[in-house]
Amino acid sequence: MYIADLHIHSRFSRATSRDCGLPHLDWWSRRKGIGLVGTGDFTHPAWRAELREQLVPAGEGVYALREEFRLPESRAGEIPRFVVTGEISSIYKRDGKTRRVHNLILLPSLEAADVLSARLEAVGNIRSDGRPILGLDSRDLLEMILETCPGAELIPAHIWTPHFSMFGAFTGFETVEACFGDLAPHIHAIETGLSSDPPMNWRVTALDGLTLVSNSDAHSPAKLGREANLLETERTYPALLRAIRTGEGFGGTIEFFPEEGKYHLDGHRSCGVCLTPAETAARGGLCPVCGKKLTVGVEHRVEELAARPAGFRPQEAKPFESLAPLPEVIAASTGFSAAGKKTAAVYETLLRELGPEFHILREAPVEDIAQVAGPLTAEGIRRLRQGQVELRAGFDGAYGTVALLSPEERTWLAEPPGAGETTIKRPRR
């Protein structure tokens, strides 16, 4: 089994890190334990030129970074593969309403990327942004892809995001058929996005029969794998395509806790207002502070389209794991800042001593983690694996947070009774 993150961005997309180049993507994939990663942004000519220069074929439809471009500090071990991917932002009118839909595209080769990009450039500007904005209906985009490259795959991206997605509260549709019309049978999968997880999507009958995929949509290499897919296939494009289209070899997903996503609940970030769907309904959809319309979150939108109760699980449902990025887990366990030097030092020590991040989060013995990083981080990872987390939900563009240990528990675990002169009672849970 390997881990795949198919939706990322290069440094040619807006609001991305300058490190979003192939050497750093390769290095961070190794550090994370990701076996297959999307290139992102295949439409951008300068990025395609770098892909042709720096990648070498490494199997049918997949590539590896040429050895001379690898960073000196790259860890030994399995070499990550790259698959050609990109995202298109379609903004268009349909049924008297402006639609803003993002779609992820997977391609079987760099040659196919050249051909499709030439078709797209006839529609609009693909040179100013790695994720181009085109006035192209999602249905017509899919038709163009099928005509140009039958082996390509279009996956509606982060389908619940309020402003830019197929089912988004502000500009979206209510069914796959409404978005893609007669070509809806060519949609085989959807991307759930950071603010939803499989149980939320299982409630929506419009998604029955579709593979639920999860990806990071990373704008910096360190964010790779915050959501990802588990594949039980060989690392080739045909095997990946078969898994997505049929579920054969698709082993499930690795998820954010949906509350961590920045559009999970309703609210107004500028007003400091975060509301549940019921609270929003009670206020007529208006902010109690400024009186303007609230940003309707993913949970609310799922409730609107769901035909099944919470807790429903289809018979054919794939498994999933809910995790948080290792630096966040370290911080939530120790009380350090997630972006601070202390957390970074613990993180680097863990990777050096125990291996890639996903191995540490999912498989490494807790006893080994304790020996390397201490009892607080070890206990935090144990709780994460058990789902023993406290969550503060994100809303209106603000990410949610994860809590694992309270200050009192940190004190007790760091110095249990009998370890010093003062006895500290363990708090009740």
Side-chain angles (χ1 to χ4, degrees), residues 257 322-324 329 332-333 366 376 378-391 401-406 409 413 426 429:
F257 292 95
S322 295
L323 297 176
V329 175
S333 304
V366 173
L376 300 184
E379 175 63 10
I381 291 176
R382 186 197 69 78
R383 293 187 186 188
L384 179 75
R385 293 174 180 176
Q386 297 297 319
Q388 298 172 350
V389 301
E390 292 183 17
L391 299 160
T401 59
V402 174
L404 290 166
L405 275 72
S406 69
E409 288 173 318
L413 284 167
R426 188 170 189 171
R429 295 183 188 168

Side-chain angles (χ1 to χ4, degrees), residues 6 8-10 38-43 47 51 83-87 130:
L6 306 174
I8 73 159
H9 290 282
S10 74
T39 61
D41 300 352
F42 75 81
T43 54
W47 183 234
L51 298 179
V83 61
V84 181
T85 65
E87 183 182 21

